[in-house]
C-alpha cells in the first residue's frame, strides 16, 4: 500500500547497492550486493528503525537513503523527487535537509576545528546567516544539546564520548534538517550516557519536527524509540511492522530468532547463535530462493527454489516468508515473550530521571 507523497518523506524503489568483490582467477570482478532491491517508505515525522545482524546491509541502506552512497540500481525519492540521479550541485542544496549522525563520536569530528567552527560550518554552506547570527545560533544549539556556550572555543579531544556525540547532533541540527539518520548513534557510549543521548534525540525530534531514521542493534533502544521497524537479512528487508506488532508478534522466522536473542537475566543468557543454526551465508554467493533458508527451521523445498516477496501480512505490516501464516499460528508458544515496552520505557525513564538530576555540561560528565 503506497502512501500519498505528502505523508512519505523518503521512498526507495528496488534500491540496490553492489560493491566490487575480489577478482576471480580469470580476472573478472565479482560483486557483493550489500543491499538488494529494497523498497520501503519512510513517513514524515516518524522514527523509523532498521535492525539486523552485523553485515546485513542496514548501514549501507541508511547511507543510500540520504545519498551518502549512490545506488547501483533502483531509486531513492526524497519528497517525491528522485535524488539518486541528482547532480552533486543539486544534491548540495538538498543536503541541508538530510543529515547524518555517525556511530563513532571520536572520529566523526575534525580534531583541528573548534566545536564552534564545527557547528558553524553547515550554516556557512547552507544558510545566509551573518557571522554574528551564526555565532548566536552555535550558542543556542549547544544549549539545546545540553552543553555550555563557552564550549564553542574548545576542541573535540577535550570532551567525553557522550559530549562529542552531542556536538555531532548539534552540528547535524545546524542546517535545519528535516531528516536525521543516526547510524548506531549510541553504541560507542556507556549505557548511562546512551540513555541521555537517546532522550536528547527524542526531545529534539519533537522540538524540531524531525523524521528520525535509526540504525541500532540494541533492541531495547529500538523498542523504546521506534514507530516502525524494518528487519534486514543479507541485504534484504524480511519484515516491516509497527513497534508493537513486531515485538509482540514477530512473524518472520528471522525476526523471531532476533527476539529470542535478546539477553535475559540468567547466568546462561542467550545469544543469536543459541537461537540460529548455521553460519551467515556469504553475500558474494547468497542462497537460492529465500536467503534465510539454510538457517531456517521451517524451510521447505519451496523456500529453496523460490524467493519470497515482501507481501502484506495484515494491518500495517509486510513480511517476506512463504510460510509466515502457518508458523505464526503453530509456533506462537515457542516465542519467548519479548521485552515489553513498559520494561524498556522504565529503563529509559530511570535514565532520564538521573540525567535530569545531573549537570550535563560539566566536562567529564557525559
Ligand atoms: Fe524460512 Fe521458508 Fe520463510 Fe524463508 S520462506 S523464512 S526459509 S519458512
Amino acid at each position: 500500500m503506497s502512501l500519498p507523497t505528502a505523508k512519505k518523506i523518503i521512498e526507495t524503489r528496488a534500491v540496490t547497492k553492489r560493491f566490487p568483490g575480489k577478482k576471480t582467477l580469470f580476472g573478472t570482478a565479482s560483486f557483493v550486493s550489500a543491499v538488494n532491491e529494497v523498497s520501503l517508505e519512510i513517513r514524515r515525522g516518524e522514527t523509523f528503525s532498521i535492525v539486523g545482524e552485523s553485515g546485513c546491509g542496514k548501514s549501507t541502506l541508511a547511507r543510500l537513503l540520504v545519498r551518502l552512497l549512490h545506488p547501483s540500481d533502483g531509486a531513492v525519492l526524497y519528497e517525491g523527487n528522485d535524488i539518486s540521479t541528482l547532480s552533486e550541485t543539486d544534491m548540495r542544496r538538498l543536503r541541508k535537509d538530510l543529515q547524518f549522525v555517525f556511530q563513532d563520536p571520536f572520529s566523526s569530528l575534525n580534531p583541528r576545528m573548534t566545536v564552534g567552527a564545527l557547528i558553524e560550518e553547515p550554516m556557512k554552506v547552507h544558510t545566509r546567516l551573518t557571522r554574528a547570527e551564526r555565532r548566536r545560533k552555535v550558542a543556542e544549539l549547544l544549549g539545546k544539546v545540553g552543553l555550555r556556550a563557552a564550549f564553542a572555543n574548545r576542541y573535540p579531544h577535550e570532551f567525553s564520548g557522550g559530549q562529542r556525540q552531542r556536538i555531532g547532533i548539534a552540528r547535524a541540527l545546524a542546517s535545519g534538517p528535516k531528516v536525521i539518520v543516526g547510524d548506531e548513534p549510541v553504541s560507542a557510549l556507556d549505557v548511562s550516557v546512551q540513555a541521555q543521548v537517546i532522550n536528547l534525540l527524542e526531545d529534539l525530534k519533537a522540538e524540531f519536527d524531525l523524521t528520525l531514521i535509526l540504525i541500532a542493534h540494541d533492541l531495547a533502544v529500538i523498542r523504546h524509540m521506534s514507530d516502525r521497524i524494518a528487519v534486514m537479512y543479507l541485504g534484504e528487508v524480511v519484515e516491516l511492522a509497527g513497534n508493537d506488532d513486531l515485538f509482540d508478534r514477530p512473524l518472520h522466522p528471522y525476526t523471531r530468532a532476533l527476539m529470542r536473542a535478546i539477553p535475559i537475566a540468567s547466568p546462561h543468557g542467550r545469544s543469536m547463535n543459541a537461537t540460529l543454526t548455521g553460519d551467515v551465508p556469504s553475500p558474494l554467493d547468497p542462497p537460492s530462493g529465500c536467503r534465510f533458508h539454510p538457517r531456517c527451521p521451517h524451510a521447505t523445498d519451496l523456500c529453496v527454489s523460490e524467493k519470497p516477496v515482501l507481501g502484506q501480512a495484515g494491518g500495517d505490516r509486510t513480511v517476506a516468508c512463504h510460510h509466515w501464516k502457518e508458523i505464526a499460528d503453530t509456533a506462537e508458544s515457542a516465542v519467548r515473550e519479548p521485552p515489553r515496552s513498559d520494561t524498556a520505557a522504565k529503563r529509559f525513564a530511570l535514565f532520564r530521571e538521573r540525567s535530569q538530576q545531573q549537570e550535563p555540561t560539566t566536562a567529564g560528565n557525559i
Side-chain angles (χ1 to χ4, degrees):
M1 182 182 59
S2 184
L3 290 170
T5 306
K7 285 199 176 167
K8 61 191 169 197
I9 192 158
I10 294 180
E11 180 183 359
T12 67
R13 293 183 183 165
V15 75
T16 296
K17 182 65 188 177
R18 286 183 290 272
F19 293 107
K22 286 182 186 156
K23 287 211 166 168
T24 65
L25 275 178
F26 306 104
T28 53
S30 55
F31 286 90
V32 180
S33 277
V35 170
N36 191 46
E37 297 193 358
V38 169
S39 298
L40 48 81
E41 294 173 348
I42 294 167
R43 298 168 186 169
R44 206 175 288 276
E46 73 174 344
T47 298
F48 185 91
S49 295
I50 307 171
V51 297
E53 286 169 284
S54 166
C56 71
K58 55 190 189 294
S59 291
T60 304
L61 178 59
R63 282 163 172 75
L64 288 167
L65 293 176
V66 291
R67 244 285 292 271
L68 287 182
L69 284 173
H70 279 274
S72 309
D73 279 311
V76 179
L77 280 71
Y78 170 67
E79 295 191 324
N81 301 309
D82 187 355
I83 59 171
S84 46
T85 53
L86 282 185
S87 68
E88 288 304 324
T89 315
D90 290 337
M91 193 58 219
R92 211 167 296 134
R93 273 186 228 119
L94 269 188
R95 181 59 60 206
K96 72 178 198 29
D97 286 4
L98 305 166
Q99 290 292 316
F100 207 90
V101 175
F102 292 90
Q103 176 180 5
D104 183 359
F106 294 91
S107 60
S108 60
L109 301 173
N110 185 339
R112 293 192 194 86
M113 294 171 77
T114 63
V115 167
L118 282 163
I119 299 173
E120 194 183 348
E121 194 178 39
M123 292 182 232
K124 281 186 183 169
V125 177
H126 297 297
T127 74
R128 291 168 184 249
L129 296 177
T130 64
R131 190 158 184 260
E133 287 168 334
R134 290 198 303 267
R135 292 289 159 91
R136 271 201 297 279
K137 183 102 178 157
V138 166
E140 185 190 315
L141 285 171
L142 281 170
K144 294 273 182 212
V145 299
L147 297 173
R148 290 185 188 144
F151 287 0
N153 299 319
R154 296 198 195 171
Y155 288 86
H157 73 267
E158 298 177 57
F159 296 92
S160 66
Q163 285 175 317
R164 285 190 219 195
Q165 199 56 296
R166 285 170 185 259
I167 294 164
I169 293 168
R171 182 175 153 88
L173 287 171
S175 62
K178 294 182 183 171
V179 177
I180 290 189
V181 179
D183 184 6
E184 303 271 10
V186 297
S187 61
L189 307 175
D190 290 345
V191 173
S192 60
V193 180
Q194 283 183 7
Q196 291 176 12
V197 172
I198 283 165
N199 291 335
L200 172 67
L201 279 172
E202 284 194 316
D203 292 345
L204 295 173
K205 174 180 177 274
E207 182 173 349
F208 292 96
D209 200 17
L210 298 167
T211 301
L212 206 56
I213 300 170
L214 193 67
I215 314 299
H217 64 261
D218 184 337
L219 289 175
V221 171
I222 297 286
R223 172 66 146 156
H224 176 73
M225 289 192 74
S226 315
D227 296 305
R228 292 188 309 138
I229 300 148
V231 180
M232 285 189 76
Y233 184 76
L234 264 189
E236 297 181 344
V237 172
V238 295
E239 184 161 4
L240 201 164
N243 189 328
D244 286 344
D245 282 342
L246 195 88
F247 279 89
D248 292 346
R249 192 166 173 262
L251 295 181
H252 194 281
Y254 178 65
T255 316
R256 298 164 76 91
L258 274 183
M259 298 304 165
R260 284 198 297 269
I262 294 170
I264 54 174
S266 134
H268 307 296
R270 282 177 203 234
S271 72
M272 185 72 74
N273 290 337
T275 58
L276 281 177
T277 55
D279 296 326
V280 181
S282 166
L284 266 173
D285 185 21
S288 62
C290 173
R291 290 184 169 200
F292 188 56
H293 86 250
R295 305 173 81 193
C296 180
H298 308 283
T300 61
D301 290 347
L302 176 66
C303 307
V304 179
S305 61
E306 201 173 303
K307 189 182 177 75
V309 294
L310 201 61
Q312 289 295 324
D316 191 20
R317 70 190 306 177
T318 48
V319 62
C321 171
H322 293 304
H323 304 298
W324 69 265
K325 215 166 186 314
E326 303 102 272
I327 295 165
D329 289 346
T330 57
E332 198 63 39
S333 58
V335 180
R336 185 175 71 81
E337 184 68 11
R340 307 291 312 178
S341 55
D342 54 348
T343 309
K346 268 184 207 155
R347 175 178 155 193
F348 285 94
L350 185 66
F351 285 134
R352 182 180 282 268
E353 212 171 87
R354 283 189 194 148
S355 61
Q356 279 166 354
Q357 287 163 3
Q358 289 169 2
E359 169 55 75
T361 58
T362 308
N365 178 20
I366 175 178

